[in-house]
Amino acid sequence: MPNSAAPLVSVIMPVYNGARFLPAALESILNQSYRNLEVLVLDNGSTDGTRQIIESYARRDNRVKPLYEPRPLGYGGEAATNVATRHAKGELLAKLDADDLAHPDRLARQVAFLQANPDVFLVGSWLTLIDEHGKPTGARTYPVDHQAIYKEFYLRFPIANPAILYRNYFQQNDLYQIQFDHFNDYYSLFVQLNSGLKMHNLPEYLTFYRIHDSNTVFTKLREKWRSNLNIKETFIRDFGYKAPLSHRLKIKLISLVINTVPESFLIRIMNRARRVLNA
Protein backbone atom coordinates (compact mmCIF):
# COMPACT_ATOMS: atom_id res chain seq x y z
CA MET A 1 0.00 0.00 0.00
CA PRO A 2 1.30 3.51 -0.74
CA ASN A 3 2.58 5.50 2.19
CA SER A 4 0.16 8.44 2.57
CA ALA A 5 3.08 10.64 3.68
CA ALA A 6 5.00 9.90 0.48
CA PRO A 7 4.61 12.43 -2.35
CA LEU A 8 2.86 11.29 -5.50
CA VAL A 9 5.32 10.70 -8.35
CA SER A 10 4.10 11.10 -11.93
CA VAL A 11 6.23 9.01 -14.29
CA ILE A 12 6.22 10.48 -17.81
CA MET A 13 6.71 7.94 -20.61
CA PRO A 14 6.24 9.09 -24.22
CA VAL A 15 6.28 6.25 -26.74
CA TYR A 16 6.31 6.00 -30.53
CA ASN A 17 6.07 2.51 -32.06
CA GLY A 18 7.49 1.06 -28.87
CA ALA A 19 5.65 -2.25 -28.66
CA ARG A 20 8.90 -4.21 -28.61
CA PHE A 21 10.25 -2.85 -25.32
CA LEU A 22 7.27 -1.04 -23.73
CA PRO A 23 6.05 -3.95 -21.54
CA ALA A 24 9.44 -4.29 -19.85
CA ALA A 25 9.65 -0.53 -19.27
CA LEU A 26 6.19 -0.47 -17.71
CA GLU A 27 6.92 -3.49 -15.54
CA SER A 28 10.08 -1.81 -14.23
CA ILE A 29 7.99 1.17 -13.06
CA LEU A 30 4.97 -0.72 -11.73
CA ASN A 31 7.30 -2.97 -9.71
CA GLN A 32 9.11 -0.09 -8.01
CA SER A 33 9.58 -0.36 -4.26
CA TYR A 34 8.17 3.17 -4.18
CA ARG A 35 4.43 2.65 -4.68
CA ASN A 36 2.77 6.08 -4.64
CA LEU A 37 2.97 6.78 -8.35
CA GLU A 38 1.08 7.21 -11.58
CA VAL A 39 2.39 6.42 -15.05
CA LEU A 40 1.37 8.76 -17.85
CA VAL A 41 2.04 6.85 -21.06
CA LEU A 42 1.58 9.02 -24.14
CA ASP A 43 1.17 7.08 -27.40
CA ASN A 44 2.71 9.57 -29.82
CA GLY A 45 1.04 8.49 -33.07
CA SER A 46 2.19 4.86 -33.03
CA THR A 47 1.23 2.49 -35.85
CA ASP A 48 2.29 -0.79 -34.20
CA GLY A 49 0.71 -2.51 -31.19
CA THR A 50 1.70 0.21 -28.69
CA ARG A 51 -1.86 1.37 -28.01
CA GLN A 52 -3.09 -2.13 -27.24
CA ILE A 53 -0.23 -2.68 -24.79
CA ILE A 54 -0.98 0.58 -22.97
CA GLU A 55 -4.68 -0.24 -22.72
CA SER A 56 -3.92 -3.74 -21.44
CA TYR A 57 -1.74 -2.37 -18.64
CA ALA A 58 -4.29 0.32 -17.80
CA ARG A 59 -6.94 -2.37 -17.28
CA ARG A 60 -4.62 -4.32 -14.99
CA ASP A 61 -3.26 -1.40 -12.93
CA ASN A 62 -5.15 1.86 -12.41
CA ARG A 63 -1.88 3.72 -11.90
CA VAL A 64 -1.34 3.56 -15.69
CA LYS A 65 -2.92 6.62 -17.34
CA PRO A 66 -3.12 6.35 -21.16
CA LEU A 67 -2.78 9.48 -23.28
CA TYR A 68 -2.95 9.67 -27.06
CA GLU A 69 -1.65 12.00 -29.75
CA PRO A 70 -2.87 11.18 -33.27
CA ARG A 71 0.39 12.19 -35.00
CA PRO A 72 4.04 12.03 -33.94
CA LEU A 73 5.09 15.31 -32.33
CA GLY A 74 8.79 14.77 -33.08
CA TYR A 75 11.73 16.42 -31.31
CA GLY A 76 12.97 13.22 -29.70
CA GLY A 77 10.05 12.90 -27.29
CA GLU A 78 10.46 16.28 -25.59
CA ALA A 79 7.30 17.75 -27.18
CA ALA A 80 5.33 14.63 -26.19
CA THR A 81 6.75 14.86 -22.67
CA ASN A 82 5.49 18.43 -22.40
CA VAL A 83 1.99 17.29 -23.43
CA ALA A 84 1.94 14.40 -20.94
CA THR A 85 3.27 16.58 -18.11
CA ARG A 86 0.24 18.87 -18.37
CA HIS A 87 -1.86 15.94 -17.15
CA ALA A 88 0.43 15.03 -14.24
CA LYS A 89 -0.92 15.19 -10.70
CA GLY A 90 2.33 14.40 -8.93
CA GLU A 91 4.37 16.68 -6.73
CA LEU A 92 7.41 15.06 -8.34
CA LEU A 93 7.90 14.08 -12.00
CA ALA A 94 10.08 11.24 -13.28
CA LYS A 95 11.19 10.46 -16.82
CA LEU A 96 11.70 7.03 -18.34
CA ASP A 97 11.88 6.26 -22.03
CA ALA A 98 9.76 3.39 -23.30
CA ASP A 99 12.78 1.28 -24.27
CA ASP A 100 14.65 1.73 -20.98
CA LEU A 101 14.32 0.17 -17.52
CA ALA A 102 14.34 1.52 -13.97
CA HIS A 103 16.14 -0.18 -11.07
CA PRO A 104 13.51 -1.38 -8.55
CA ASP A 105 14.67 1.19 -5.98
CA ARG A 106 15.27 4.07 -8.37
CA LEU A 107 12.28 6.19 -7.38
CA ALA A 108 12.65 5.42 -3.67
CA ARG A 109 16.25 6.62 -3.65
CA GLN A 110 15.61 9.69 -5.75
CA VAL A 111 12.53 10.73 -3.76
CA ALA A 112 14.46 10.32 -0.51
CA PHE A 113 17.22 12.53 -1.87
CA LEU A 114 14.86 15.34 -2.89
CA GLN A 115 13.04 15.15 0.43
CA ALA A 116 16.36 15.44 2.27
CA ASN A 117 17.54 18.28 0.01
CA PRO A 118 14.69 20.75 -0.49
CA ASP A 119 17.00 23.21 -2.28
CA VAL A 120 17.62 20.74 -5.13
CA PHE A 121 15.25 20.88 -8.12
CA LEU A 122 16.31 17.78 -10.05
CA VAL A 123 18.15 14.54 -9.35
CA GLY A 124 19.47 12.08 -11.93
CA SER A 125 21.48 8.88 -11.76
CA TRP A 126 24.23 6.96 -13.52
CA LEU A 127 23.30 4.53 -16.30
CA THR A 128 23.85 0.86 -16.97
CA LEU A 129 23.95 0.33 -20.73
CA ILE A 130 22.05 -2.73 -21.98
CA ASP A 131 21.51 -4.32 -25.38
CA GLU A 132 18.23 -5.26 -27.02
CA HIS A 133 18.06 -8.40 -24.87
CA GLY A 134 18.64 -6.55 -21.60
CA LYS A 135 22.23 -7.74 -21.25
CA PRO A 136 24.59 -5.18 -19.65
CA THR A 137 27.17 -3.88 -22.13
CA GLY A 138 28.70 -0.95 -20.29
CA ALA A 139 28.06 1.98 -18.01
CA ARG A 140 27.87 5.74 -18.13
CA THR A 141 28.75 7.96 -15.19
CA TYR A 142 28.03 11.65 -14.67
CA PRO A 143 29.32 14.42 -12.39
CA VAL A 144 27.51 14.37 -9.07
CA ASP A 145 27.21 17.83 -7.52
CA HIS A 146 25.73 21.02 -8.94
CA GLN A 147 28.99 22.82 -9.69
CA ALA A 148 30.54 19.79 -11.38
CA ILE A 149 27.42 19.36 -13.52
CA TYR A 150 27.54 23.02 -14.57
CA LYS A 151 31.23 22.80 -15.44
CA GLU A 152 30.67 19.89 -17.87
CA PHE A 153 27.66 21.27 -19.73
CA TYR A 154 29.64 22.45 -22.76
CA LEU A 155 31.53 19.18 -23.11
CA ARG A 156 28.46 16.94 -22.94
CA PHE A 157 24.98 16.61 -21.50
CA PRO A 158 26.01 15.77 -17.91
CA ILE A 159 22.55 14.52 -16.91
CA ALA A 160 20.84 11.40 -18.25
CA ASN A 161 17.42 12.70 -19.31
CA PRO A 162 15.69 9.27 -19.02
CA ALA A 163 16.91 9.03 -15.42
CA ILE A 164 15.66 12.28 -13.89
CA LEU A 165 13.23 13.04 -11.07
CA TYR A 166 12.31 16.69 -10.56
CA ARG A 167 9.89 18.95 -8.77
CA ASN A 168 6.66 19.81 -10.60
CA TYR A 169 7.30 23.53 -11.06
CA PHE A 170 6.00 23.69 -14.62
CA GLN A 171 2.19 23.56 -14.50
CA GLN A 172 2.00 26.77 -16.56
CA ASN A 173 5.21 26.53 -18.61
CA ASP A 174 6.82 23.55 -20.32
CA LEU A 175 10.10 22.20 -18.98
CA TYR A 176 11.35 21.44 -22.49
CA GLN A 177 11.72 24.53 -24.65
CA ILE A 178 11.53 23.50 -28.30
CA GLN A 179 14.14 25.74 -29.90
CA PHE A 180 16.29 23.35 -31.96
CA ASP A 181 15.78 20.45 -34.34
CA HIS A 182 17.38 18.06 -31.83
CA PHE A 183 18.51 17.89 -28.18
CA ASN A 184 16.04 20.32 -26.69
CA ASP A 185 16.42 18.41 -23.41
CA TYR A 186 20.11 19.38 -23.36
CA TYR A 187 19.28 23.03 -24.01
CA SER A 188 16.32 23.20 -21.63
CA LEU A 189 18.00 21.70 -18.58
CA PHE A 190 20.92 24.08 -19.03
CA VAL A 191 18.47 27.01 -19.12
CA GLN A 192 16.91 25.84 -15.85
CA LEU A 193 20.28 25.24 -14.20
CA ASN A 194 21.55 28.62 -15.37
CA SER A 195 18.44 30.26 -13.87
CA GLY A 196 19.50 29.02 -10.44
CA LEU A 197 17.74 25.67 -10.09
CA LYS A 198 20.10 23.17 -8.44
CA MET A 199 20.71 19.73 -9.92
CA HIS A 200 22.41 16.59 -8.64
CA ASN A 201 23.23 13.09 -9.86
CA LEU A 202 23.15 10.11 -7.53
CA PRO A 203 26.36 8.10 -8.04
CA GLU A 204 24.32 4.92 -8.42
CA TYR A 205 23.30 2.89 -11.46
CA LEU A 206 19.53 3.34 -11.16
CA THR A 207 18.50 3.41 -14.82
CA PHE A 208 19.17 0.92 -17.62
CA TYR A 209 19.68 2.66 -20.97
CA ARG A 210 18.99 0.38 -23.92
CA ILE A 211 21.19 0.55 -27.02
CA HIS A 212 19.48 -1.03 -30.02
CA ASP A 213 19.08 -0.62 -33.77
CA SER A 214 15.98 1.57 -33.45
CA ASN A 215 17.52 4.25 -31.19
CA THR A 216 16.80 7.59 -32.86
CA VAL A 217 20.10 8.88 -31.45
CA PHE A 218 21.86 6.74 -34.08
CA THR A 219 20.27 8.42 -37.12
CA LYS A 220 21.12 11.69 -38.93
CA LEU A 221 24.36 11.91 -36.97
CA ARG A 222 25.91 14.91 -38.71
CA GLU A 223 22.65 16.86 -38.58
CA LYS A 224 22.32 16.14 -34.88
CA TRP A 225 25.92 17.10 -34.20
CA ARG A 226 25.26 20.49 -35.84
CA SER A 227 22.33 21.00 -33.46
CA ASN A 228 24.58 20.00 -30.57
CA LEU A 229 27.19 22.57 -31.59
CA ASN A 230 24.56 25.28 -32.05
CA ILE A 231 23.31 24.64 -28.53
CA LYS A 232 26.82 24.81 -27.10
CA GLU A 233 27.42 28.14 -28.82
CA THR A 234 24.11 29.38 -27.43
CA PHE A 235 25.39 28.65 -23.91
CA ILE A 236 28.34 30.94 -24.58
CA ARG A 237 26.64 33.64 -26.63
CA ASP A 238 23.32 34.00 -24.78
CA PHE A 239 24.23 32.96 -21.24
CA GLY A 240 27.89 33.92 -20.88
CA TYR A 241 29.01 30.34 -20.23
CA LYS A 242 32.78 29.94 -19.84
CA ALA A 243 33.76 26.60 -21.35
CA PRO A 244 37.15 25.21 -20.19
CA LEU A 245 39.75 25.22 -22.96
CA SER A 246 40.22 21.45 -22.66
CA HIS A 247 36.51 20.94 -23.29
CA ARG A 248 36.58 23.20 -26.36
CA LEU A 249 39.52 21.24 -27.77
CA LYS A 250 37.78 17.91 -27.21
CA ILE A 251 34.68 19.15 -29.04
CA LYS A 252 36.82 20.37 -31.95
CA LEU A 253 38.46 16.95 -32.17
CA ILE A 254 35.10 15.17 -32.12
CA SER A 255 33.82 17.57 -34.80
CA LEU A 256 36.82 16.78 -36.96
CA VAL A 257 36.06 13.07 -36.71
CA ILE A 258 32.37 13.53 -37.45
CA ASN A 259 32.97 15.78 -40.46
CA THR A 260 35.71 13.59 -41.94
CA VAL A 261 34.65 9.96 -41.46
CA PRO A 262 31.96 8.45 -43.73
CA GLU A 263 28.65 8.50 -41.90
CA SER A 264 28.26 4.72 -42.17
CA PHE A 265 31.25 4.39 -39.80
CA LEU A 266 30.40 7.25 -37.48
CA ILE A 267 28.57 5.27 -34.80
CA ARG A 268 31.57 3.01 -34.19
CA ILE A 269 34.05 5.89 -34.28
CA MET A 270 31.93 8.16 -32.06
CA ASN A 271 31.56 5.52 -29.37
CA ARG A 272 35.31 4.96 -29.34
CA ALA A 273 35.96 8.71 -29.23
CA ARG A 274 33.60 9.12 -26.27
CA ARG A 275 35.52 6.49 -24.31
CA VAL A 276 38.95 7.94 -25.19
CA LEU A 277 37.96 11.55 -24.49
CA ASN A 278 35.60 10.83 -21.60
CA ALA A 279 33.02 12.99 -23.39
Side-chain angles (χ1 to χ4, degrees):
M1 295 295 290
N3 180 350
S4 60
L8 176 66
V9 173
S10 295
V11 181
I12 310 298
M13 186 182 294
V15 53
Y16 171 70
N17 286 346
R20 183 181 180 189
F21 300 117
L22 178 59
L26 284 169
E27 292 286 347
S28 77
I29 290 298
L30 297 175
N31 291 322
Q32 289 286 299
S33 60
Y34 190 91
R35 304 297 294 169
N36 192 22
L37 59 87
E38 62 174 1
V39 192
L40 287 86
V41 192
L42 189 144
D43 179 3
N44 189 19
S46 297
T47 57
D48 63 355
T50 290
R51 181 165 187 155
Q52 290 76 16
I53 292 170
I54 297 171
E55 291 174 347
S56 173
Y57 273 88
R59 288 192 295 269
R60 290 161 46 188
D61 193 318
N62 62 12
R63 294 177 297 169
V64 177
K65 314 294 184 184
L67 299 168
Y68 302 103
E69 280 290 321
R71 292 182 299 277
L73 297 174
Y75 298 103
E78 282 87 38
T81 295
N82 284 340
V83 171
T85 299
R86 295 166 200 158
H87 298 266
K89 298 177 181 178
E91 177 183 339
L92 303 175
L93 304 176
K95 280 295 303 293
L96 186 72
D97 289 341
D99 51 358
D100 297 336
L101 304 172
H103 183 284
D105 293 327
R106 174 190 149 180
L107 293 181
R109 295 180 187 180
Q110 290 182 311
V111 170
F113 180 86
L114 288 185
Q115 287 183 308
N117 297 273
D119 61 325
V120 175
F121 161 66
L122 176 151
V123 61
S125 79
W126 291 355
L127 300 180
T128 298
L129 307 182
I130 58 175
D131 64 15
E132 59 184 328
H133 305 295
K135 179 182 178 181
T137 60
R140 192 171 296 169
T141 63
Y142 297 91
V144 172
D145 65 68
H146 180 80
Q147 290 301 323
I149 290 170
Y150 182 82
K151 183 178 179 180
E152 281 205 13
F153 242 98
Y154 182 87
L155 179 64
R156 60 166 177 162
F157 192 2
I159 296 169
N161 191 53
I164 60 175
L165 179 75
Y166 57 100
R167 303 184 192 277
N168 192 0
Y169 291 166
F170 294 93
Q171 291 90 344
Q172 304 301 320
N173 300 297
D174 294 329
L175 173 63
Y176 297 110
Q177 301 178 31
I178 308 301
Q179 302 286 337
F180 299 89
D181 291 337
H182 307 284
F183 308 126
N184 289 287
D185 51 350
Y186 180 36
Y187 171 75
S188 299
L189 290 192
F190 176 83
V191 170
Q192 301 305 331
L193 181 145
N194 192 72
S195 74
L197 294 179
K198 291 185 66 174
M199 301 183 187
H200 188 93
N201 284 313
L202 294 180
E204 303 177 63
Y205 297 98
L206 299 179
T207 304
F208 299 85
Y209 182 74
R210 195 184 301 272
I211 306 293
H212 57 91
D213 56 8
S214 298
N215 277 123
T216 58
V217 73
F218 295 138
T219 60
K220 302 180 180 178
L221 293 176
R222 286 199 175 100
E223 176 186 319
K224 290 179 177 178
W225 185 249
R226 286 193 294 271
S227 282
N228 188 302
L229 291 178
N230 288 338
I231 291 169
K232 295 178 191 302
E233 290 309 308
T234 298
F235 296 164
I236 295 171
R237 183 184 66 247
D238 296 347
F239 300 99
Y241 185 85
K242 305 295 184 184
L245 177 60
S246 61
H247 293 182
R248 286 175 174 264
L249 292 175
K250 287 180 179 181
I251 294 303
K252 286 184 180 296
L253 179 56
I254 294 172
S255 294
L256 178 64
V257 171
I258 290 174
N259 292 324
T260 303
V261 175
E263 191 151 354
S264 59
F265 295 99
L266 275 178
I267 295 173
R268 189 187 322 167
I269 297 299
M270 284 179 65
N271 285 337
R272 289 179 179 176
R274 287 178 66 102
R275 288 194 294 271
V276 171
L277 299 173
N278 191 29

